[in-house]
Amino acid sequence: MSRLVSLFTGQWADLKLEDMARKTKEFGYSGIELACWGDHFEVQKALNEPNYCKQKRDLLERNGLRCEAISAHLVGQAVCDIIDERHKLILPDYVWGDGKPEGVNKRAIQELKDTAKAAQKFGVEVVNGFTGSSIWHLLYSFPPVSQKMVDDGYKLFADRFNPILDEFKKCGVKFALEVHPTEIAFDIYSAEAALKAVNHREEFGFNFDPSHLHWQGVDPVEFIRAFPDRIYHVHIKDAITTLNGKTGILASHINFGDPRRGWDFRSPGRGSINFEEIIRALNHVGYKGPLSVEWEDSGMDREFGAKEASGFVRKLDFSPSGRAFDSAFDKAEQ
Amino acid sequence: MSRLVSLFTGQWADLKLEDMARKTKEFGYSGIELACWGDHFEVQKALNEPNYCKQKRDLLERNGLRCEAISAHLVGQAVCDIIDERHKLILPDYVWGDGKPEGVNKRAIQELKDTAKAAQKFGVEVVNGFTGSSIWHLLYSFPPVSQKMVDDGYKLFADRFNPILDEFKKCGVKFALEVHPTEIAFDIYSAEAALKAVNHREEFGFNFDPSHLHWQGVDPVEFIRAFPDRIYHVHIKDAITTLNGKTGILASHINFGDPRRGWDFRSPGRGSINFEEIIRALNHVGYKGPLSVEWEDSGMDREFGAKEASGFVRKLDFSPSGRAFDSAFDKAEQ
Amino acid sequence: MSRLVSLFTGQWADLKLEDMARKTKEFGYSGIELACWGDHFEVQKALNEPNYCKQKRDLLERNGLRCEAISAHLVGQAVCDIIDERHKLILPDYVWGDGKPEGVNKRAIQELKDTAKAAQKFGVEVVNGFTGSSIWHLLYSFPPVSQKMVDDGYKLFADRFNPILDEFKKCGVKFALEVHPTEIAFDIYSAEAALKAVNHREEFGFNFDPSHLHWQGVDPVEFIRAFPDRIYHVHIKDAITTLNGKTGILASHINFGDPRRGWDFRSPGRGSINFEEIIRALNHVGYKGPLSVEWEDSGMDREFGAKEASGFVRKLDFSPSGRAFDSAFDKAEQ
Amino acid sequence: MSRLVSLFTGQWADLKLEDMARKTKEFGYSGIELACWGDHFEVQKALNEPNYCKQKRDLLERNGLRCEAISAHLVGQAVCDIIDERHKLILPDYVWGDGKPEGVNKRAIQELKDTAKAAQKFGVEVVNGFTGSSIWHLLYSFPPVSQKMVDDGYKLFADRFNPILDEFKKCGVKFALEVHPTEIAFDIYSAEAALKAVNHREEFGFNFDPSHLHWQGVDPVEFIRAFPDRIYHVHIKDAITTLNGKTGILASHINFGDPRRGWDFRSPGRGSINFEEIIRALNHVGYKGPLSVEWEDSGMDREFGAKEASGFVRKLDFSPSGRAFDSAFDKAEQ
Amino acid sequence: MSRLVSLFTGQWADLKLEDMARKTKEFGYSGIELACWGDHFEVQKALNEPNYCKQKRDLLERNGLRCEAISAHLVGQAVCDIIDERHKLILPDYVWGDGKPEGVNKRAIQELKDTAKAAQKFGVEVVNGFTGSSIWHLLYSFPPVSQKMVDDGYKLFADRFNPILDEFKKCGVKFALEVHPTEIAFDIYSAEAALKAVNHREEFGFNFDPSHLHWQGVDPVEFIRAFPDRIYHVHIKDAITTLNGKTGILASHINFGDPRRGWDFRSPGRGSINFEEIIRALNHVGYKGPLSVEWEDSGMDREFGAKEASGFVRKLDFSPSGRAFDSAFDKAEQ
Amino acid sequence: MSRLVSLFTGQWADLKLEDMARKTKEFGYSGIELACWGDHFEVQKALNEPNYCKQKRDLLERNGLRCEAISAHLVGQAVCDIIDERHKLILPDYVWGDGKPEGVNKRAIQELKDTAKAAQKFGVEVVNGFTGSSIWHLLYSFPPVSQKMVDDGYKLFADRFNPILDEFKKCGVKFALEVHPTEIAFDIYSAEAALKAVNHREEFGFNFDPSHLHWQGVDPVEFIRAFPDRIYHVHIKDAITTLNGKTGILASHINFGDPRRGWDFRSPGRGSINFEEIIRALNHVGYKGPLSVEWEDSGMDREFGAKEASGFVRKLDFSPSGRAFDSAFDKAEQ
């Protein structure tokens, strides 16, 4: 199938886009998913500088790259999160401001609305991103968590995102939440709850990324089957569980890349995700968008890995059948 | 082996101890592990009322029950936790006070010191409990969590618990942390870090409870082997993973007892914990304390379950061998 | 839970009911599920002999047995089946008649209607049974089977069973299909299709028997969850897969009890069905009817097995919890 | 090893052989296994038109293709089957005739004899095919199936195939049954029974196709070991079981390609068959014939798949060792 | 089934038989398998003291114990073994003599012949035992082992055992080799080779003990199926593999009972052997002899364990069915 | 990563090095690990012929091959082994001499010392090899093996190897034991014991070869983690367990390549070793030496296999990451 094989630039924002675009092509990709940080895609410049979007497009074209989605994970995270010092490092100064939580949340909301406008101007129909969550810290129900506390978390998400999604609707752009721990939705049932909270409005769907589901024990294929019409974008990212009796799935407050963790991310094809079944499920629900590599593997050189990954994805992708099984046995078809 | 088979009263505090003790005996137990809530064991009364401890002991004796440990989970949770509305429900009024976090933490510290004194007075050498954690909400490293933030959490734990443990030392009592999500230690490597934070002082060890380890993918036997001299108490509690492709191990903000969760607690013997290997490991490290049932199973009547559980534990327990294998083949021994 | 533990008499019709009832009690059962063959429950006598039903009830009462369901598997099989010589052996002479297929089908329909009336007269609200199937021989789609051929099979089922179910409705009795190979429904999706074919009318539901699902790879718990309001009766019967590389799941035209088969039935508790999860699922959907042992195990003496099975079922059954988890941690409940 | 890598044309009979041969070469194959339907290999023309066989050979040679076997699955199916409307679609008009079962069976027998003659004339030594079965509908033993009914099925097979095999013997050609559901042999033990029914005569052996064994739980390697001297031809075709608790291995009367099935066919290398062990087993028994891809995958474009498959098979095949392990450690060999 | 449930006394030879017999009864056994060491059964006294056998029988009878087999493992080991210092500890002084290997082998052969005579005199038809092996040290083929060296080992076994078995034949007694590492047969294929070496003579069969097969990865049920007519005696002994990534199946020269081993013996029912399938296989081949517990578990008190084991075996054993499945569906049988 | 991909010549000593070097290059390798047998690397000639080492180096260079290690498995085996006829075949005549065990051991010790000198002269820093073992025949503890007998085995190893290692130290060369059955160390715990026996002196480490660990159930990754600073060389060799119920892990005295064995060696990538995790573990401990293919697969042509293997290893190897995960999310790095 001629799905676009692209690379997400989020983990490469230490590089200028000019370098990144060249490398992306060299790694073997035909597309690029621009992060809204570093100089890859700057929302306010896109809105305020007349030629910004065109210049970016020209740069990508010179490198033979298409772009069908941009990504706003970092600012999205600040919409529903309870703000703390960690957010300062990942937010633009004008969103962080004085760092008072209420103000940060508000400015993040505004920035996400602006991102929709910038996406429209740049000519992409999908913005991938995070939502943050005000109830993530209640993950394990002790001290006992009441149903109301959980419900309030989904309500706050709806209250803050509905105005954002109104803007997305106006711009003809969709918001694709990457279902992920620390977000309002991190597995199938929390994704159901999030969809319900915003009344299943069409502007809200998912950036399907199997790596976050796999280690939780959730079958990524079941996710696709549960939300066949909400797969707005796809990340190709692998993961592995490394449980050996001593490691734990909650990972012991130990960072990625340490063998004492019970799971980790892996370069595509080097983890234990069954991408074959994922492609078949995507074919089945008719997903036609990009397969975008989000490359993260703490144990591998990233340039080696990104290159290998483009080949892996190209080999993986294929078209569904256009004809019925065994039809050639029928004389009428011979 | 003649280990004490006891029942922990934490989940039965809606009953008066008088009723609870009678039932405990009827359920088939020889021991009881008193919770420091409800009227089961009240720390301030124990310290201030002259006959309190004796009356409790008499009550237990009348019911043929021994008591070798008391449990202070709820107040312990408030020592390191970031306090919120959930703590109000589980703390005594005099600890909660005006609910201002700093004051709650301080009063919880004091109450835990008092618990050590009360334990000494009551004649038990182990207080089981929780520690809370100031870094639980940083569980998943996004937004990125620095090593310093994690280190600070262990340091805060040490700063608050060292004075408490000084009091325990003075009283000749040990504090046994139930390794558990939302606590400073929730798996093997976080338990290592916690021990290191308090310099492996002897007053600090563990209330081994396999149910919290199993669903995380941690083999409870490896925990015992990792800390052979720190198993100060044992809870018998079962759990099961119910991953079926749709459910997730993080449980979707859904409460216990719902089949959409990826794991749940179970009445002992009805989950998937391998207690046989646990008993052998406990025999191997020489643990001689109680096997105390903490009964939690949202899908079963608790009185039916508690009764069944006492039989399960009695059948489970056995003594190690006192002689070498194959020695009877040696003529010299015949 | 006080669910009735009963024994289905279908495999014991070589015994007179008088003997069977005595044995059933001796085996440890409190209930009996009468087969409509042998002298256990004769439909035409029940309708035509004034005291027949009362005498049967008296006999059961003398043996301390309740009866909440009767079973009409054999005649039900002849409703939709393509009739051949095998049916002669299992049908009453007056249903078999001259054995011409069309007539046998018609007389089987009439007999099943009569069974509803007899059930009403006898005082049971459930008739368990089979439906037969006109499309079972099309199981594997070669030579290629058109969708129409399959649809016709479900349609024929509906055409023949709707009049039967009208009679059941009139009598206030339900028909519980034992989902089973050779019937119109043999797994979850064929059960869905069957329900759809009769417009989900309430008179039609299922006699849940996990043994027929297990070896097909269907999780019996998923069946219960798929049809929570259609579990009208439950059979306790175990099965095991004995695949070893040489045996096959289709069983090589080899009869039960031969180790060359890839699966077989087993006495309850001696196969690989997870009854623990089944009881929890039945508790969850609120099933309150009998747990009726259908005892079949080609490798075990049936009297030994039937006795063991009653103990197994009694130990298995338990009541769900009546209270919320962790509620005892709440001061308000103490 | 220089085994012929060929493609079976059965599923491509909607294409003229001229096109098919060109594509087969383009897909990367060196051989072709011609189906006796469409215009690929027409038995009566081969017998009656003087240049037919030579023209076919010329066509194949022009495309650089060898042909070592032809296949007569469809007409073979009609030899033992109970004939119904499905057979009309797959049989030549002159075999179907008026469609009266007895006549169809007879004409199918004659056509299969003629196929042996045509094979001899065309210069191939193996005809792959099906046998049909008069007892397939008795697969599950309810209503109870007597041993005699099963025995009669094997006897009918022998009665109808012995005369056919006499003709094969005369022509120096072997008949290779593709062991498959709906045939007289569909797993190891039914294959044993079929061999026994024809007294293990040499003209009768198997077209080994692992895809039909795998989902039944039969290890294809055990099949090869069970019949080391009867592997007359090999199909490379993959399959996968997709059991997830809801799907069933009997597949719910649902057609191939639907995710609600419990198993399906897959393009070689994309299923779960262990071809590595199969090649080793084929090496061990000395099989030297073609590895012929029978391409069926309802979820993939067939041209994409057929091309990928030729590469897969080439990579898979290898020669056994010609020397003893560790012999280089022996000075005498140095 | 009324199979004799007995206890093998080999591991209890530090106790006088008088004590052992009393305990055996108290543990719940009906039978006893006497070891030919300690004072349990002394071959030379049995042959030379007129009342020895009768006195032993009387002692057993007073304790309500039957004896159907005696065991000569230790002296049997010295028949084919390459003798070293280890044998001195386990052999009677008169067999060890001066310890020169050739002489030890010869005296062991004589003692085993005498054991057959003593068995006849005592009235048992089976002598269990070991053979030793002259090729055990060649287990791993490095330095390269020639086929001749292996063949010579089986030949030496035949040369030494044929005269022994002649004596057994004369006495009407069978020798049952306990297939076991360090013996001439330790798994299925070496047992085949051993049987072949002695021309399948009837005096030579097996004492089936699943514990030695299980950890080698051999399915005990396959052993029974491979040698259906050579199961002369059965040991009930459990084992477990404790592979965790660090432990190894060859056990690192570390003795039983150490958790660093990759496998160990276990009290029956506390390991991972599937005794259910074993009983069914024994029923299938018609084995009617004792189920004799050989109790070894380095982690459990032996008296606790031996008692538990008798209950386990009684619960395990059951009779096969005497009738055909589903026969009650047939009117003719009703 | 630019690790050297080399081929070990041990299994190719029937070829002259001149041929072997040419083939090695043609197979796709950049390096070669020379066996000290055949004419590949002759220790005495290296010490005594002035140009020997240079001529060998020149030969390798002409073929574009580097050499970083030589291997002395055969003579090493004779250091601790109990000598028998098998050793004659694998030892040089001047080491075997008259074959009297004591003399063979002594001459093997001297030859290994000389090998260190030759290695120094040739310019390699690692000699791979075996140690033999005087206690291998005591593998299974029956007749009972005392701890002293095991300890004596390790002591003998130390007594014989310490003088050898003194010479290695003097030469600046390391001895890398290939942990392997029949050696003093064959799994993790025996490797621990061996290291302890020589006081962890630096001259003694391991030639890590996962194939010998895998079938024993030992995770090769755990071996690397257990001895992070002792991985002096790495063999790439695959293995597979082929347990099917009938085969056993001890392999029945049956030679490699026979399907009746429970495990066997395999060409790299065609067994079941997880090399991905091994590379990550090697990266983690900082191993920078060769990845040297020891090619053994009794079921495959060795030239086909050796060529395929070089490609497999090149694809497998990769560099670790040089940067922290998620660092690109930090503004400070953008």
Side-chain angles (χ1 to χ4, degrees), chain F residues 148-163:
Chain F
K148 184 176 177 307
M149 292 180 81
V150 172
D151 292 346
D152 285 352
Y154 287 109
K155 187 168 179 314
L156 180 142
F157 154 69
D159 289 348
R160 293 192 183 166
F161 261 82
N162 270 324

Side-chain angles (χ1 to χ4, degrees), chain D residues 71-212:
Chain D
S71 288
H73 294 71
L74 302 184
V75 76
Q77 187 70 24
V79 172
C80 295
D81 256 18
I82 300 170
I83 302 299
D84 64 32
E85 57 179 297
R86 293 173 299 160
H87 299 83
K88 183 174 185 182
L89 289 176
I90 63 170
L91 290 174
D93 290 340
Y94 63 88
V95 176
W96 177 256
D98 60 4
K100 290 189 188 159
E102 200 181 349
V104 175
N105 290 146
K106 276 187 188 161
R107 287 184 295 274
I109 291 171
Q110 185 56 49
E111 178 75 358
L112 205 45
K113 289 181 182 174
D114 289 349
T115 305
K117 289 185 211 160
Q120 183 184 27
K121 196 168 168 193
F122 186 54
V124 298
E125 292 175 7
V126 174
V127 173
N128 298 312
F130 284 153
T131 59
S133 168
S134 62
I135 53 175
W136 172 251
H137 67 293
L138 303 179
L139 185 70
Y140 189 95
S141 193
F142 191 84
V145 174
S146 67
Q147 187 59 45
K148 184 177 179 304
M149 291 179 82
V150 172
D151 292 345
D152 285 352
Y154 287 109
K155 188 170 181 309
L156 179 142
F157 154 71
D159 289 348
R160 292 193 183 165
F161 261 82
N162 271 324
I164 295 170
L165 295 170
D166 291 344
E167 188 65 42
F168 272 75
K169 188 174 186 182
K170 213 180 302 173
C171 299
V173 176
K174 280 168 176 154
F175 183 78
L177 166 61
E178 184 170 328
V179 174
H180 179 286
T182 75
E183 310 313 318
I184 195 62
F186 50 91
D187 59 11
I188 292 178
Y189 293 114
S190 55
E192 272 184 9
L195 267 174
K196 193 178 158 204
V198 294
N199 276 320
H200 295 79
R201 57 186 298 176
E202 278 195 17
E203 296 77 28
F204 184 75
F206 303 120
N207 174 31
F208 170 75
D209 184 331
S211 67
H212 309 305

Side-chain angles (χ1 to χ4, degrees), chain F residues 81-129:
Chain F
D81 257 19
I82 301 170
I83 301 300
D84 65 32
E85 58 179 297
R86 293 173 299 160
H87 299 84
K88 184 174 184 182
L89 290 177
I90 63 171
L91 291 175
D93 291 338
Y94 63 89
V95 176
W96 176 256
D98 60 4
K100 290 188 186 159
E102 200 180 347
V104 176
N105 289 147
K106 276 187 189 160
R107 287 184 294 275
I109 290 170
Q110 184 55 49
E111 178 76 357
L112 204 45
K113 287 181 184 174
D114 289 350
T115 305
K117 288 185 212 159
Q120 183 184 29
K121 196 168 169 194
F122 185 53
V124 299
E125 293 174 6
V126 173
V127 173
N128 298 312

Side-chain angles (χ1 to χ4, degrees), chain E residues 8-184:
Chain E
F8 172 41
T9 69
Q11 282 78 3
W12 308 74
D14 54 313
L15 302 178
K16 293 291 165 202
L17 183 58
E18 185 138 358
D19 295 334
M20 185 59 204
R22 194 191 67 247
K23 280 177 187 285
T24 299
K25 189 63 190 177
E26 288 168 5
F27 295 154
Y29 295 87
S30 313
I32 196 162
E33 173 194 349
L34 294 180
C36 297
W37 52 94
D39 79 334
H40 295 193
F41 189 83
E42 295 142 296
V43 166
Q44 296 306 328
K45 289 189 183 170
L47 293 182
N48 299 319
E49 298 183 8
N51 289 322
Y52 185 86
C53 286
K54 177 159 192 332
Q55 285 166 351
K56 290 282 172 188
R57 281 285 176 200
D58 289 350
L59 168 58
L60 300 186
E61 250 170 56
R62 280 199 306 276
N63 287 285
L65 295 170
R66 285 157 56 201
C67 175
E68 303 191 353
I70 60 173
S71 287
H73 294 71
L74 301 184
V75 76
Q77 187 70 24
V79 171
C80 296
D81 257 18
I82 300 170
I83 302 300
D84 64 31
E85 56 179 299
R86 292 173 299 159
H87 299 83
K88 184 175 185 181
L89 289 177
I90 63 171
L91 291 175
D93 292 338
Y94 63 88
V95 175
W96 177 255
D98 59 5
K100 290 188 188 159
E102 199 180 349
V104 176
N105 290 147
K106 276 187 188 160
R107 287 185 294 275
I109 291 170
Q110 185 57 49
E111 178 75 359
L112 204 44
K113 289 181 182 175
D114 288 350
T115 305
K117 289 184 211 161
Q120 182 183 30
K121 196 168 168 193
F122 185 53
V124 298
E125 293 174 6
V126 173
V127 173
N128 298 312
F130 285 153
T131 58
S133 167
S134 62
I135 53 175
W136 172 251
H137 67 293
L138 304 178
L139 184 70
Y140 188 95
S141 194
F142 191 85
V145 174
S146 67
Q147 187 59 44
K148 184 177 178 306
M149 292 180 82
V150 172
D151 292 345
D152 284 352
Y154 287 109
K155 186 168 181 312
L156 180 142
F157 154 70
D159 288 348
R160 293 193 184 167
F161 261 82
N162 271 325
I164 295 170
L165 295 171
D166 291 343
E167 188 65 43
F168 271 75
K169 187 175 186 182
K170 214 180 301 172
C171 298
V173 177
K174 280 167 175 153
F175 182 77
L177 166 61
E178 184 169 328
V179 174
H180 179 286
T182 75
E183 311 311 318
I184 194 64

